[in-house]
Amino acid sequence: MYPTQALSRVLAAQPVLDAIERDHGAPRAAFEHLTIGQSLSGQVKSLAKGIALVDVAGQTVAMRLPHPTQPGDTLRLRFAGHMPQAVFLLEAPEAAAADDAPQLSATARLLSDLVQRLPERNALPTLAPPLPLFDQPGAGPAEMALALRTALVRSGLFYESHLANWAVGLDSLDGLMQEPQNRLAAAENARAASLSATTQTLSEAPADGEQKPLNPMLALLSQQLQVLESPQFAWRGELWPGQPLAWEVRQEPETGHGEKGASAGDDAARSWESRLELTLPRLGKLTVHLRLDAERAFSIRIAPERPEAEALLQCDQGRLLTRMSEAGCALQRFTVYRDADA
Protein backbone atom coordinates (compact mmCIF):
# COMPACT_ATOMS: atom_id res chain seq x y z
CA MET A 1 0.00 0.00 0.00
CA TYR A 2 1.44 3.37 -1.00
CA PRO A 3 1.82 6.19 1.55
CA THR A 4 -0.58 9.15 1.21
CA GLN A 5 2.28 11.45 0.22
CA ALA A 6 3.29 9.13 -2.60
CA LEU A 7 -0.30 8.85 -3.88
CA SER A 8 -0.63 12.63 -3.96
CA ARG A 9 2.19 12.72 -6.50
CA VAL A 10 0.61 10.24 -8.96
CA LEU A 11 -1.04 12.23 -11.74
CA ALA A 12 -3.51 10.96 -14.33
CA ALA A 13 -3.21 12.97 -17.55
CA GLN A 14 -6.40 13.46 -19.58
CA PRO A 15 -5.63 14.58 -23.16
CA VAL A 16 -7.38 17.80 -24.20
CA LEU A 17 -9.29 17.00 -27.42
CA ASP A 18 -10.24 19.33 -30.23
CA ALA A 19 -13.79 19.45 -31.66
CA ILE A 20 -13.16 16.95 -34.52
CA GLU A 21 -11.71 14.36 -32.16
CA ARG A 22 -14.66 14.76 -29.76
CA ASP A 23 -17.13 14.36 -32.62
CA HIS A 24 -15.50 11.14 -33.79
CA GLY A 25 -15.29 9.81 -30.23
CA ALA A 26 -11.81 8.49 -30.89
CA PRO A 27 -9.26 10.28 -28.75
CA ARG A 28 -5.78 10.33 -30.14
CA ALA A 29 -3.33 7.88 -28.61
CA ALA A 30 -1.09 10.09 -26.47
CA PHE A 31 2.44 9.29 -25.30
CA GLU A 32 2.72 6.00 -27.21
CA HIS A 33 6.40 6.74 -27.77
CA LEU A 34 7.24 7.03 -24.04
CA THR A 35 8.75 4.19 -22.02
CA ILE A 36 7.86 3.49 -18.41
CA GLY A 37 10.24 5.28 -16.08
CA GLN A 38 11.25 7.87 -18.66
CA SER A 39 11.87 11.36 -17.23
CA LEU A 40 10.46 14.44 -18.93
CA SER A 41 9.30 17.93 -18.11
CA GLY A 42 5.94 19.64 -18.42
CA GLN A 43 5.05 23.33 -18.52
CA VAL A 44 1.90 24.68 -16.89
CA LYS A 45 -0.04 26.71 -19.48
CA SER A 46 -3.11 27.71 -17.46
CA LEU A 47 -5.13 27.00 -14.32
CA ALA A 48 -8.92 26.96 -13.92
CA LYS A 49 -11.11 25.47 -11.16
CA GLY A 50 -8.29 23.26 -9.85
CA ILE A 51 -7.44 21.84 -13.27
CA ALA A 52 -4.08 22.65 -14.84
CA LEU A 53 -3.45 22.50 -18.56
CA VAL A 54 0.08 21.24 -19.02
CA ASP A 55 2.22 20.86 -22.12
CA VAL A 56 4.01 17.49 -21.95
CA ALA A 57 6.09 16.19 -24.86
CA GLY A 58 4.12 18.27 -27.34
CA GLN A 59 0.73 17.22 -25.96
CA THR A 60 -1.64 19.43 -23.96
CA VAL A 61 -3.13 17.47 -21.08
CA ALA A 62 -5.32 18.25 -18.09
CA MET A 63 -4.01 17.42 -14.61
CA ARG A 64 -5.00 17.94 -11.01
CA LEU A 65 -1.77 19.01 -9.29
CA PRO A 66 -1.25 18.26 -5.58
CA HIS A 67 0.48 21.55 -4.76
CA PRO A 68 -0.02 25.19 -5.84
CA THR A 69 1.44 26.11 -9.22
CA GLN A 70 1.42 29.11 -11.51
CA PRO A 71 1.27 29.35 -15.31
CA GLY A 72 4.79 29.05 -16.61
CA ASP A 73 5.96 26.66 -13.87
CA THR A 74 8.00 23.67 -15.01
CA LEU A 75 7.16 20.23 -13.65
CA ARG A 76 9.48 17.25 -13.40
CA LEU A 77 7.60 14.11 -14.39
CA ARG A 78 8.28 10.41 -14.77
CA PHE A 79 6.09 8.33 -17.08
CA ALA A 80 4.35 5.48 -15.23
CA GLY A 81 2.34 3.96 -18.10
CA HIS A 82 -1.29 3.80 -19.37
CA MET A 83 -3.97 2.79 -16.82
CA PRO A 84 -5.71 3.12 -19.35
CA GLN A 85 -4.99 6.84 -19.60
CA ALA A 86 -1.46 8.17 -19.21
CA VAL A 87 -0.17 8.37 -15.63
CA PHE A 88 2.86 10.34 -14.40
CA LEU A 89 4.78 10.57 -11.14
CA LEU A 90 5.38 14.18 -10.12
CA GLU A 91 8.46 15.55 -8.36
CA ALA A 92 7.82 18.83 -6.55
CA PRO A 93 10.14 21.51 -7.98
CA GLU A 94 11.50 22.64 -4.64
CA ALA A 95 12.26 19.04 -3.56
CA ALA A 96 13.45 17.58 -6.85
CA ALA A 97 17.14 18.19 -6.25
CA ALA A 98 16.94 16.92 -2.68
CA ASP A 99 15.03 13.79 -3.75
CA ASP A 100 17.91 12.82 -6.01
CA ALA A 101 20.30 12.76 -3.04
CA PRO A 102 20.44 10.05 -0.36
CA GLN A 103 18.39 10.94 2.72
CA LEU A 104 19.83 10.16 6.18
CA SER A 105 17.81 9.45 9.27
CA ALA A 106 18.39 11.41 12.48
CA THR A 107 20.31 8.45 13.93
CA ALA A 108 22.52 8.21 10.84
CA ARG A 109 23.24 11.95 11.00
CA LEU A 110 24.18 11.61 14.70
CA LEU A 111 26.56 8.72 13.99
CA SER A 112 28.06 10.60 11.05
CA ASP A 113 28.69 13.61 13.29
CA LEU A 114 30.29 11.37 15.91
CA VAL A 115 32.58 9.74 13.35
CA GLN A 116 33.70 13.17 12.14
CA ARG A 117 34.57 14.17 15.69
CA LEU A 118 36.29 10.95 16.72
CA PRO A 119 40.01 10.98 17.52
CA GLU A 120 42.43 9.53 15.00
CA ARG A 121 41.54 5.95 14.12
CA ASN A 122 44.80 4.64 15.61
CA ALA A 123 44.16 6.42 18.94
CA LEU A 124 42.94 4.11 21.69
CA PRO A 125 39.66 4.90 23.44
CA THR A 126 40.99 5.88 26.87
CA LEU A 127 39.28 5.72 30.25
CA ALA A 128 40.60 8.37 32.65
CA PRO A 129 38.98 8.20 36.11
CA PRO A 130 39.11 11.52 37.97
CA LEU A 131 40.05 9.97 41.34
CA PRO A 132 42.52 7.28 42.50
CA LEU A 133 41.12 3.80 43.08
CA PHE A 134 42.36 3.84 46.70
CA ASP A 135 42.87 6.64 49.19
CA GLN A 136 46.24 5.25 50.31
CA PRO A 137 48.64 2.37 49.54
CA GLY A 138 48.36 -0.97 51.25
CA ALA A 139 45.66 -2.77 49.28
CA GLY A 140 46.26 -6.47 48.73
CA PRO A 141 46.41 -8.12 45.27
CA ALA A 142 42.84 -9.45 45.44
CA GLU A 143 41.44 -6.08 46.52
CA MET A 144 43.41 -4.28 43.82
CA ALA A 145 42.29 -6.74 41.15
CA LEU A 146 38.65 -6.24 42.17
CA ALA A 147 39.03 -2.44 42.04
CA LEU A 148 40.55 -2.57 38.56
CA ARG A 149 37.84 -4.97 37.37
CA THR A 150 35.12 -2.71 38.76
CA ALA A 151 36.69 0.35 37.12
CA LEU A 152 36.54 -1.43 33.78
CA VAL A 153 33.15 -3.13 34.15
CA ARG A 154 31.43 0.08 35.34
CA SER A 155 33.21 2.34 32.83
CA GLY A 156 30.14 2.56 30.59
CA LEU A 157 31.83 0.89 27.62
CA PHE A 158 29.71 -2.22 28.02
CA TYR A 159 26.51 -0.62 29.35
CA GLU A 160 24.11 -2.08 26.76
CA SER A 161 25.40 -5.59 27.47
CA HIS A 162 24.92 -5.06 31.20
CA LEU A 163 21.44 -3.66 30.57
CA ALA A 164 20.53 -6.84 28.69
CA ASN A 165 21.93 -8.90 31.58
CA TRP A 166 19.88 -6.89 34.08
CA ALA A 167 16.72 -7.54 32.08
CA VAL A 168 17.17 -11.31 32.64
CA GLY A 169 18.34 -10.99 36.24
CA LEU A 170 22.11 -11.35 35.64
CA ASP A 171 23.08 -7.83 36.77
CA SER A 172 21.98 -5.58 39.60
CA LEU A 173 20.22 -2.24 39.36
CA ASP A 174 22.68 -0.75 41.84
CA GLY A 175 25.52 -1.75 39.54
CA LEU A 176 23.86 -0.18 36.51
CA MET A 177 23.31 3.07 38.42
CA GLN A 178 27.08 3.33 38.95
CA GLU A 179 27.77 3.55 35.22
CA PRO A 180 28.26 6.94 33.50
CA GLN A 181 25.12 6.63 31.38
CA ASN A 182 22.98 6.85 34.53
CA ARG A 183 25.25 9.14 36.55
CA LEU A 184 25.49 11.68 33.72
CA ALA A 185 21.75 11.52 33.08
CA ALA A 186 21.04 12.12 36.77
CA ALA A 187 23.45 15.07 36.86
CA GLU A 188 21.90 16.57 33.72
CA ASN A 189 18.40 16.24 35.16
CA ALA A 190 19.50 18.00 38.34
CA ARG A 191 21.15 20.74 36.33
CA ALA A 192 18.11 21.22 34.12
CA ALA A 193 15.91 21.53 37.19
CA SER A 194 18.06 24.34 38.60
CA LEU A 195 18.35 26.40 35.42
CA SER A 196 15.69 28.10 33.37
CA ALA A 197 15.50 27.25 29.70
CA THR A 198 16.67 30.76 28.75
CA THR A 199 19.67 30.73 31.07
CA GLN A 200 20.66 27.26 29.94
CA THR A 201 20.46 28.23 26.28
CA LEU A 202 22.61 31.32 26.80
CA SER A 203 25.20 29.50 28.88
CA GLU A 204 25.55 26.70 26.32
CA ALA A 205 25.64 28.87 23.22
CA PRO A 206 29.13 28.66 21.62
CA ALA A 207 30.95 31.78 20.56
CA ASP A 208 31.05 32.68 16.89
CA GLY A 209 33.23 30.20 15.00
CA GLU A 210 33.71 28.06 18.11
CA GLN A 211 32.65 24.42 18.00
CA LYS A 212 30.44 23.36 20.91
CA PRO A 213 32.26 20.79 23.13
CA LEU A 214 31.20 17.21 22.61
CA ASN A 215 28.58 16.17 25.13
CA PRO A 216 30.04 13.63 27.64
CA MET A 217 27.40 11.09 26.65
CA LEU A 218 28.33 11.47 22.97
CA ALA A 219 32.02 11.22 23.85
CA LEU A 220 31.31 7.94 25.64
CA LEU A 221 29.28 6.70 22.67
CA SER A 222 32.20 7.49 20.37
CA GLN A 223 34.45 5.36 22.60
CA GLN A 224 31.95 2.51 22.43
CA LEU A 225 31.99 2.71 18.63
CA GLN A 226 35.79 2.57 18.65
CA VAL A 227 35.82 -0.48 20.91
CA LEU A 228 33.31 -2.22 18.64
CA GLU A 229 35.39 -1.44 15.58
CA SER A 230 38.69 -2.55 17.09
CA PRO A 231 38.42 -4.39 20.44
CA GLN A 232 41.01 -2.45 22.45
CA PHE A 233 41.07 0.28 25.05
CA ALA A 234 43.34 2.02 27.56
CA TRP A 235 42.92 2.89 31.24
CA ARG A 236 45.09 5.66 32.67
CA GLY A 237 44.73 6.71 36.27
CA GLU A 238 46.13 6.35 39.76
CA LEU A 239 45.96 3.27 41.97
CA TRP A 240 46.43 5.59 44.96
CA PRO A 241 47.66 9.21 45.11
CA GLY A 242 51.09 9.39 43.50
CA GLN A 243 50.96 5.85 42.02
CA PRO A 244 50.00 6.09 38.32
CA LEU A 245 49.07 3.10 36.17
CA ALA A 246 48.71 2.90 32.40
CA TRP A 247 46.83 -0.23 31.31
CA GLU A 248 46.08 -1.25 27.73
CA VAL A 249 44.01 -4.26 26.65
CA ARG A 250 43.39 -5.52 23.15
CA GLN A 251 41.96 -8.59 21.50
CA GLU A 252 44.37 -10.34 19.17
CA PRO A 253 43.21 -10.24 15.54
CA GLU A 254 42.13 -13.54 14.02
CA THR A 255 44.74 -15.16 11.82
CA GLY A 256 42.23 -16.75 9.45
CA HIS A 257 43.28 -20.26 10.50
CA GLY A 258 41.50 -20.13 13.83
CA GLU A 259 42.90 -21.20 17.18
CA LYS A 260 42.71 -24.49 18.98
CA GLY A 261 39.37 -24.74 20.73
CA ALA A 262 38.05 -21.53 19.15
CA SER A 263 35.01 -21.32 16.96
CA ALA A 264 33.96 -18.52 14.66
CA GLY A 265 32.47 -15.62 16.60
CA ASP A 266 33.44 -17.12 20.00
CA ASP A 267 35.00 -14.12 21.77
CA ALA A 268 35.65 -16.09 24.95
CA ALA A 269 37.95 -18.46 23.05
CA ARG A 270 40.14 -15.77 21.51
CA SER A 271 43.45 -14.47 22.84
CA TRP A 272 43.85 -11.20 24.69
CA GLU A 273 46.92 -9.07 25.26
CA SER A 274 47.46 -6.61 28.07
CA ARG A 275 50.22 -4.09 28.72
CA LEU A 276 50.79 -2.30 32.01
CA GLU A 277 53.18 0.52 32.83
CA LEU A 278 53.84 1.49 36.43
CA THR A 279 56.63 2.83 38.61
CA LEU A 280 57.39 1.16 41.94
CA PRO A 281 59.59 2.51 44.77
CA ARG A 282 62.21 -0.27 44.70
CA LEU A 283 61.95 -1.51 41.10
CA GLY A 284 61.45 1.75 39.26
CA LYS A 285 59.54 1.78 35.99
CA LEU A 286 58.20 -1.58 34.83
CA THR A 287 56.42 -2.63 31.66
CA VAL A 288 54.42 -5.82 32.05
CA HIS A 289 53.20 -7.73 28.99
CA LEU A 290 50.50 -10.33 29.56
CA ARG A 291 48.86 -12.68 27.09
CA LEU A 292 45.84 -14.85 27.82
CA ASP A 293 45.47 -17.53 25.15
CA ALA A 294 42.46 -19.55 24.05
CA GLU A 295 43.33 -22.25 26.60
CA ARG A 296 43.09 -19.66 29.42
CA ALA A 297 46.84 -19.84 30.11
CA PHE A 298 49.00 -16.77 30.78
CA SER A 299 52.30 -15.76 29.23
CA ILE A 300 53.95 -12.95 31.23
CA ARG A 301 56.99 -10.83 30.43
CA ILE A 302 58.27 -8.15 32.78
CA ALA A 303 60.62 -5.58 31.31
CA PRO A 304 62.24 -3.31 33.92
CA GLU A 305 63.88 -0.05 32.93
CA ARG A 306 66.74 -0.30 35.46
CA PRO A 307 69.37 -3.09 35.29
CA GLU A 308 69.37 -3.61 39.06
CA ALA A 309 65.60 -4.18 38.97
CA GLU A 310 66.10 -6.97 36.43
CA ALA A 311 68.50 -8.76 38.76
CA LEU A 312 66.14 -8.34 41.71
CA LEU A 313 63.17 -9.73 39.74
CA GLN A 314 65.24 -12.68 38.49
CA CYS A 315 66.29 -13.45 42.06
CA ASP A 316 62.69 -13.36 43.32
CA GLN A 317 61.20 -15.13 40.28
CA GLY A 318 60.37 -18.29 42.23
CA ARG A 319 58.34 -16.37 44.79
CA LEU A 320 56.53 -14.49 42.02
CA LEU A 321 55.60 -17.76 40.32
CA THR A 322 54.30 -19.17 43.58
CA ARG A 323 52.14 -16.12 44.27
CA MET A 324 50.68 -16.26 40.76
CA SER A 325 49.93 -19.94 41.07
CA GLU A 326 48.18 -19.29 44.39
CA ALA A 327 46.09 -16.65 42.61
CA GLY A 328 44.90 -19.30 40.13
CA CYS A 329 46.96 -18.14 37.13
CA ALA A 330 47.93 -21.01 34.82
CA LEU A 331 51.33 -19.90 33.55
CA GLN A 332 52.59 -21.02 30.17
CA ARG A 333 55.67 -18.82 30.19
CA PHE A 334 57.23 -16.26 32.54
CA THR A 335 60.25 -14.17 31.61
CA VAL A 336 62.11 -11.15 32.98
CA TYR A 337 64.44 -9.19 30.75
CA ARG A 338 65.07 -5.71 29.48
CA ASP A 339 64.48 -4.83 25.83
CA ALA A 340 64.52 -1.71 23.66
CA ASP A 341 60.75 -1.60 23.04
CA ALA A 342 59.62 -2.18 26.60
Side-chain angles (χ1 to χ4, degrees):
M1 187 172 187
Y2 292 100
T4 303
Q5 183 180 11
L7 288 174
S8 69
R9 297 167 66 181
V10 178
L11 305 177
Q14 177 65 50
V16 178
L17 308 179
D18 59 28
I20 297 177
E21 289 170 328
R22 284 196 299 270
D23 291 342
H24 285 80
R28 65 180 181 267
F31 311 120
E32 287 183 331
H33 59 290
L34 298 182
T35 59
I36 294 178
Q38 180 177 340
S39 297
L40 61 161
S41 61
Q43 187 172 39
V44 180
K45 299 173 65 175
S46 64
L47 291 168
K49 297 181 180 180
I51 302 297
L53 296 184
V54 183
D55 185 285
V56 181
Q59 303 276 357
T60 300
V61 294
M63 294 180 174
R64 289 187 180 273
L65 300 177
H67 57 79
T69 56
Q70 298 294 329
D73 286 353
T74 299
L75 309 178
R76 289 187 57 177
L77 305 168
R78 192 177 299 273
F79 184 61
H82 296 280
M83 305 181 185
Q85 58 190 4
V87 174
F88 295 88
L89 298 179
L90 170 67
E91 297 181 9
E94 64 276 7
D99 287 347
D100 289 340
Q103 300 297 310
L104 298 179
S105 66
T107 302
R109 289 194 298 271
L110 170 63
L111 294 177
S112 176
D113 180 62
L114 282 174
V115 169
Q116 295 300 321
R117 302 180 68 173
L118 284 176
E120 296 181 5
R121 294 178 68 87
N122 58 355
L124 287 178
T126 302
L127 305 173
L131 299 174
L133 296 183
F134 301 97
D135 295 332
Q136 57 188 7
E143 188 179 1
M144 193 174 300
L146 178 60
L148 283 171
R149 180 183 184 277
T150 302
L152 172 59
V153 169
R154 298 307 177 190
S155 66
L157 286 181
F158 315 103
Y159 178 73
E160 286 71 20
S161 174
H162 299 159
L163 195 62
N165 288 341
W166 171 78
V168 295
L170 298 179
D171 205 341
S172 68
L173 181 60
D174 289 342
L176 285 176
M177 296 305 294
Q178 297 174 23
E179 302 203 29
Q181 283 84 347
N182 289 316
R183 288 190 283 106
L184 289 171
E188 184 64 24
N189 289 339
R191 177 171 177 267
S194 63
L195 294 174
S196 67
T198 303
T199 303
Q200 184 174 359
T201 301
L202 291 176
S203 65
E204 291 185 351
D208 291 342
E210 180 183 349
Q211 188 179 33
K212 185 177 178 180
L214 191 61
N215 183 290
M217 290 294 292
L218 299 184
L220 180 58
L221 178 56
S222 73
Q223 289 184 328
Q224 290 181 298
L225 293 174
Q226 285 179 280
V227 171
L228 281 175
E229 181 182 12
S230 177
Q232 56 183 334
F233 65 89
W235 187 94
R236 303 189 192 283
E238 288 187 314
L239 296 176
W240 53 82
Q243 180 56 67
L245 170 67
W247 176 28
E248 297 178 5
V249 178
R250 76 180 185 94
Q251 188 180 65
E252 283 192 342
E254 293 183 90
T255 62
H257 301 291
E259 294 186 83
K260 184 179 178 181
S263 59
D266 185 2
D267 289 339
R270 296 179 184 174
S271 299
W272 291 83
E273 287 190 353
S274 188
R275 183 175 185 269
L276 298 92
E277 288 185 0
L278 67 163
T279 302
L280 301 178
R282 292 183 60 196
L283 299 175
K285 182 179 179 180
L286 298 177
T287 302
V288 183
H289 302 267
L290 301 98
R291 182 178 184 274
L292 180 64
D293 64 21
E295 302 297 327
R296 322 312 294 166
F298 283 95
S299 296
I300 301 175
R301 174 165 59 91
I302 301 179
E305 188 177 72
R306 301 189 331 214
E308 59 271 24
E310 180 182 1
L312 185 59
L313 286 167
Q314 292 282 11
C315 180
D316 289 340
Q317 182 171 329
R319 188 169 64 173
L320 284 172
L321 293 174
T322 300
R323 294 289 297 273
M324 290 182 181
S325 177
E326 290 174 351
C329 297
L331 285 175
Q332 188 178 59
R333 184 169 64 254
F334 181 91
T335 54
V336 178
Y337 62 89
R338 297 173 64 228
D339 59 9
D341 20 335

